[in-house]
Amino acid sequence: MHICVYGAANDAIRQVYLDDAYRLGQTIAKAGHTMVFGAGCTGVMGAAAKGVLAEGGELIGIAPAFFHTPGVLEENCTKLILTETMRERNDLL
């Protein structure tokens, strides 16, 4: 099953939310599911992605190509899909 996680990509958020997102990612991976997300390496999406990766899970990131700069996108996605626009990205999520 593919599960979409769509949330804040900002780290200026209470740690409890980041911790919960990490555990969500772990749970997704442990259950054998694939996480699909906006490919951000920070905030809620980044924390969930790190949880998936910690458990060896599958991670599909979808982001506009203009986000493809150091420190913005998760570099360890199983698959990274780059789009032309945010609208195209949101349609795929």
Side-chain angles (χ1 to χ4, degrees), residues 9 19-20 28 30-33 38 47 56 65 67 72 75 77 81 87 93:
D19 294 343
D20 285 346
I28 290 169
K30 285 179 183 177
H33 302 306
F67 280 172
V72 175
E75 297 178 7
C77 292
I81 300 168
R87 183 172 186 84
L93 287 172

Side-chain angles (χ1 to χ4, degrees), residues 5-88:
V5 175
Y6 198 73
N10 189 328
D11 278 332
I13 189 170
R14 288 181 41 204
Q15 187 63 43
V16 64
Y17 298 116
L18 300 175
D19 294 343
D20 285 346
Y22 183 88
R23 284 191 293 276
L24 173 64
Q26 288 180 305
T27 301
I28 290 169
K30 285 179 183 177
H33 302 306
T34 298
M35 185 175 116
V36 180
F37 76 125
C41 66
T42 58
V44 172
M45 284 192 289
K50 287 171 183 54
V52 169
L53 293 170
E55 297 299 328
E58 297 288 320
L59 187 62
I60 299 173
I62 304 174
F66 58 82
F67 280 172
H68 201 231
T69 59
V72 175
L73 299 182
E74 174 55 57
E75 297 178 7
N76 297 302
C77 292
T78 308
K79 181 177 182 181
L80 178 61
I81 300 168
L82 297 175
T83 64
E84 294 278 327
T85 65
M86 286 291 282
R87 183 172 186 84
E88 182 183 355

